[in-house]
Amino acid sequence: MDMKFEKRSAPVWTPEFFLANESVCLEQLTDGATWRSIPLLNCTENSQHLPDGSLVRFRGMVQDMQDPECYLEGYDVRSKSDGSVVRRQNGKFRDILVYNEATEVVDGSSTANGTFGERRSMFVISIPGQNPWASACERELNGGNLSRTEQPVTDSSEEQRSSVKRAHEDEMEVDGASGITGSTDTSCTSVPATNGVKKIATTPAHPAGTSSLLSVDYLLNSPITDRPSKACLVKLYSNYDDWTLNTLVEVVGFLSIDPALDGSGDRIEEDDFTDDVTEHQATNPPPSLIPRLHVIGVRKLSHTNPLMHYHPVDLAEVDHAEAELGNACKDLHNLFTQCLFGDRVAADYLLCHLVSSVYIRDEVESRGQFSLNLSNIPAEVLPSYTQSLYELLELLLPASHYFPMTLENMNTVQFVPRKDYTTNKLTSGLLQLAPHTHLVLDETRLEAGKLESAGVEAVQNVSHLIKSQRLRYNFHYYQLEFNADVPVLVLSEGRSMLPSNCYLPLIPDLDAIKLIDETIKAGRHYIAPKLPTIRRFLTAARIQEFDMKTLDPTIVQEDFVRMRTADSSISMDDLHALFVLARLLGLSQGRKALRREEWERAKELEGERRKRLEMFAKRTSEP
């Protein structure tokens, strides 16, 4: 993969340097080359290989928001020998108090000596359902900046500090007012600088007190557990309300991986209960598994395609780009036509589905989503065909997930996020996906049987997501809804029990059915050398601004009157759906504004689709 972009050395900053030069540093981060030069934590096998305090990036989706926490923003470090103030120490962008325990003590117990601040943590997970090619591309484009071993520039006080695991055998003294902990060990020790640190009993009262009660999967909390996943506890110091659940972000900040932050091995006090222990472990996971990141910069991402972060495409930038994108559209249409049994109409609708996204949203409804139900899949090609079709889409999309709708899956899989009050975590569900993650539901796998209450609830939650592009979050005593943008493709034999924006029965070519396996294999081979262009094209089309006002409204009004005259059941919703389809046809052609050609093509496609629906309705009504 030949990607050309400017490479620079990553900035080597400490929290003190950043605070002293904040405006200059933030200005440097606005430069794309500087931002990209910072190591991407997603692409390192083990965050422990990077020095504690390193400046790093992390890219992912906001999965959970934690309660605000109080921390020591500044404190005095005094000499043990004479009590004099050695220095004023910054506590911002750190989890650990910085002092030499052999010769120094921390004085932050009063407002005169300690300055307290507030920060808030976001639990950010790597993109759920990120496809293998996107992960490989991300590693290739960022692999060059993960091998550096430079240590951050430090001052003399930081050089005295060493990061060692808390000795659980030693009793810890706690100042309850400030949350400062001091060890009886005489070595230079790292101590968590958070409030509410409990006194650790020398003998655990609970037999399981020295072992972790929570699994790695539970701590990582990804909705899709069969793919590699990473997570990061991102600590914000400002603009908390700018970020909501499911937002795609890329953050830059100071890495915090001191082993002292690990709460999984903490012993239990005599009056502790298992619930207290599990919550403590959930909020203080091993930093080797879930590192902390103290944020100095955040960017909201509009897509999940790593190719576009380094080689963006403007749909109409130059003439040769238009020609390249036009070829990509033709290649995709030909590919889908062959892989959908020669059905060119279905190919148009599938291409529109792949570039769809919500572009208008208010409190009542959203516009732009284009969930698609393709039915009448020949029984003789099942079940292998649906999996093969998904694997083809997987090559094109940066993030997607295939879900076979078996009875067991529908009755047992958790679909929506649920609040676990035992650990104070929001446990993820299958539908908590990043924007533009394509969900393919294979209803052909649904066998005869009974949907239990959980299965019925799952159908309701999926239906609600499809219709409103809002996802329900279960907090047990109440439900909250958050915005989503998850294109849903349903594959079925007959019409799906799930709703859709567009239902289209396939009309397969009989010869194509017999050769479908070979056709899909040939299609994969044909498309292979063109994949980078096609992948960028699909993402660029989906996020492209599109002007809907360029079409003469008189044409729309006259066409609507004719449609209503021919069929009185035509409503304003049908007109809106026609606009959405025309918009998607324009985007799929690389256009930036609605033209008469796309409007006419949308009417033709909808006319053909309605004929098919009538034809299949007659077939089902015949004895």
Coordinates of all heavy atoms in Angstrom, one line a residue, residues 7-13 28-29 33-40 54-57 144-146 148 150-153 252:
K7 N 6.2 12.9 7.2 CA 6.5 12.3 8.5 C 7.3 13.3 9.3 O 8.2 14.0 8.8 CB 7.3 11.0 8.3 CG 6.4 9.9 7.7 CD 7.2 8.6 7.6 CE 6.3 7.5 7.1 NZ 7.0 6.2 7.0
R8 N 7.0 13.4 10.6 CA 7.8 14.2 11.5 C 8.1 13.4 12.8 O 7.4 12.4 13.1 CB 7.0 15.5 11.8 CG 6.8 16.4 10.7 CD 6.1 17.7 11.1 NE 5.8 18.5 10.0 CZ 5.1 19.7 10.1 NH1 4.7 20.1 11.3 NH2 4.8 20.4 9.1
S9 N 9.1 13.9 13.5 CA 9.3 13.3 14.8 C 8.2 13.8 15.8 O 7.8 15.0 15.8 CB 10.7 13.8 15.3 OG 11.7 13.3 14.5
A10 N 7.8 12.9 16.6 CA 6.7 13.3 17.6 C 7.2 14.2 18.6 O 8.4 14.1 19.0 CB 6.2 12.0 18.3
P11 N 6.4 15.2 19.1 CA 6.8 16.1 20.1 C 7.1 15.3 21.4 O 6.4 14.3 21.7 CB 5.7 17.1 20.3 CG 4.5 16.4 19.6 CD 5.1 15.5 18.6
V12 N 8.1 15.7 22.2 CA 8.4 15.0 23.4 C 8.2 16.1 24.5 O 9.0 16.9 24.8 CB 9.9 14.6 23.5 CG1 10.2 13.8 24.8 CG2 10.2 13.7 22.3
W13 N 7.0 16.0 25.1 CA 6.5 16.9 26.1 C 6.3 16.2 27.5 O 6.0 15.0 27.5 CB 5.2 17.6 25.7 CG 5.3 18.4 24.4 CD1 6.4 18.9 23.8 CD2 4.2 18.7 23.5 NE1 6.1 19.5 22.7 CE2 4.8 19.4 22.4 CE3 2.9 18.5 23.6 CZ2 4.0 19.9 21.4 CZ3 2.1 18.9 22.5 CH2 2.6 19.6 21.5
Q28 N 0.7 23.7 17.7 CA 1.4 22.6 17.0 C 0.5 21.4 16.7 O 0.6 20.8 15.6 CB 2.6 22.2 17.8 CG 3.7 23.2 17.9 CD 5.0 22.6 18.6 OE1 5.3 21.4 18.4 NE2 5.6 23.5 19.4
L29 N -0.4 21.1 17.6 CA -1.3 20.0 17.4 C -2.3 20.2 16.3 O -2.9 19.2 15.8 CB -2.0 19.6 18.7 CG -1.2 19.0 19.8 CD1 -2.0 18.7 21.1 CD2 -0.5 17.7 19.4
A33 N 0.5 16.9 10.3 CA 1.7 16.0 10.3 C 2.2 15.9 11.8 O 2.6 14.8 12.1 CB 2.8 16.7 9.5
T34 N 2.1 16.9 12.6 CA 2.5 16.8 14.0 C 1.6 15.8 14.7 O 2.0 14.9 15.5 CB 2.5 18.2 14.7 OG1 3.4 19.0 14.0 CG2 2.9 18.0 16.1
W35 N 0.3 16.0 14.5 CA -0.7 15.1 15.2 C -0.4 13.6 14.8 O -0.4 12.7 15.6 CB -2.1 15.5 14.7 CG -3.2 14.7 15.4 CD1 -3.7 13.5 15.0 CD2 -4.0 15.1 16.5 NE1 -4.7 13.1 15.8 CE2 -5.0 14.1 16.7 CE3 -4.1 16.2 17.3 CZ2 -5.9 14.1 17.8 CZ3 -5.0 16.3 18.3 CH2 -5.9 15.3 18.6
R36 N -0.2 13.4 13.5 CA 0.0 12.0 13.1 C 1.3 11.4 13.5 O 1.5 10.2 13.6 CB -0.1 11.9 11.5 CG -1.4 12.1 11.0 CD -1.5 11.7 9.5 NE -0.6 12.6 8.7 CZ -0.9 13.7 8.1 NH1 -2.2 14.1 8.2 NH2 -0.1 14.4 7.3
S37 N 2.3 12.3 13.9 CA 3.6 11.8 14.3 C 3.5 11.2 15.7 O 4.4 10.4 16.1 CB 4.6 12.9 14.3 OG 4.4 13.8 15.3
I38 N 2.5 11.5 16.5 CA 2.4 11.0 17.8 C 2.0 9.5 17.8 O 1.1 9.1 17.0 CB 1.3 11.8 18.6 CG1 1.8 13.3 18.7 CG2 1.1 11.2 20.0 CD1 0.7 14.2 19.2
P39 N 2.7 8.6 18.5 CA 2.4 7.2 18.5 C 0.9 6.9 18.8 O 0.3 7.4 19.7 CB 3.3 6.6 19.6 CG 4.4 7.6 19.7 CD 3.8 8.9 19.4
L40 N 0.3 6.0 17.9 CA -1.1 5.5 18.1 C -1.1 4.3 18.9 O -0.6 3.2 18.6 CB -1.7 5.3 16.7 CG -3.2 5.0 16.7 CD1 -4.0 6.2 17.1 CD2 -3.6 4.5 15.3
S54 N 4.5 9.2 28.4 CA 4.6 9.4 26.9 C 3.4 10.2 26.3 O 2.3 10.0 26.8 CB 4.9 8.1 26.1 OG 6.0 7.4 26.6
L55 N 3.7 10.9 25.3 CA 2.6 11.5 24.6 C 2.1 10.5 23.5 O 2.9 10.1 22.7 CB 3.1 12.8 23.9 CG 2.0 13.8 23.4 CD1 1.1 14.3 24.5 CD2 2.6 15.0 22.6
V56 N 0.9 10.1 23.6 CA 0.3 9.1 22.7 C -1.0 9.5 22.2 O -1.7 10.5 22.7 CB 0.2 7.7 23.4 CG1 1.6 7.2 23.8 CG2 -0.7 7.8 24.6
R57 N -1.5 8.8 21.1 CA -2.9 9.0 20.6 C -3.6 7.7 20.9 O -3.1 6.6 21.0 CB -2.8 9.2 19.1 CG -2.5 10.6 18.6 CD -2.6 10.6 17.1 NE -1.6 9.7 16.4 CZ -1.8 9.2 15.2 NH1 -3.0 9.3 14.6 NH2 -0.9 8.4 14.7
G144 N 5.5 3.0 12.0 CA 6.8 3.7 12.0 C 7.0 4.5 13.2 O 8.1 4.8 13.6
N145 N 5.9 4.9 13.9 CA 6.1 5.8 15.0 C 5.9 5.1 16.4 O 5.8 5.8 17.4 CB 5.2 7.0 15.0 CG 3.7 6.6 14.9 OD1 3.4 5.5 15.2 ND2 2.9 7.6 14.5
L146 N 6.0 3.8 16.4 CA 5.8 3.1 17.6 C 7.1 2.5 18.1 O 7.2 1.9 19.2 CB 4.8 1.9 17.5 CG 3.4 2.4 17.3 CD1 2.4 1.2 17.0 CD2 2.9 3.2 18.4
R148 N 10.0 4.1 18.7 CA 10.9 5.1 19.3 C 10.9 4.8 20.8 O 10.0 4.3 21.4 CB 10.5 6.5 19.1 CG 9.1 6.9 19.6 CD 8.8 8.3 19.4 NE 9.0 8.7 18.1 CZ 8.1 8.7 17.1 NH1 7.0 8.1 17.4 NH2 8.4 9.1 15.9
E150 N 12.5 7.1 23.0 CA 12.9 8.3 23.8 C 12.0 8.4 25.0 O 10.8 8.2 25.0 CB 12.7 9.6 22.9 CG 13.5 9.6 21.6 CD 12.6 9.2 20.5 OE1 11.9 8.2 20.6 OE2 12.7 9.9 19.5
Q151 N 12.7 8.8 26.1 CA 12.0 9.1 27.4 C 11.5 10.5 27.3 O 12.2 11.4 26.8 CB 12.9 8.8 28.6 CG 13.3 7.4 28.7 CD 12.2 6.6 29.3 OE1 11.2 7.1 29.9 NE2 12.3 5.3 29.3
P152 N 10.4 10.9 27.9 CA 10.0 12.3 28.0 C 11.0 13.1 28.8 O 11.7 12.6 29.7 CB 8.7 12.2 28.8 CG 8.2 10.8 28.6 CD 9.4 10.0 28.5
V153 N 11.2 14.3 28.4 CA 12.1 15.2 29.1 C 11.5 15.4 30.5 O 10.4 15.7 30.7 CB 12.2 16.6 28.4 CG1 13.0 17.5 29.1 CG2 12.7 16.4 27.0
V252 N -5.3 12.8 22.1 CA -3.9 12.9 22.3 C -3.7 13.3 23.8 O -4.4 14.2 24.3 CB -3.2 14.0 21.4 CG1 -1.8 14.3 22.0 CG2 -3.1 13.5 20.0

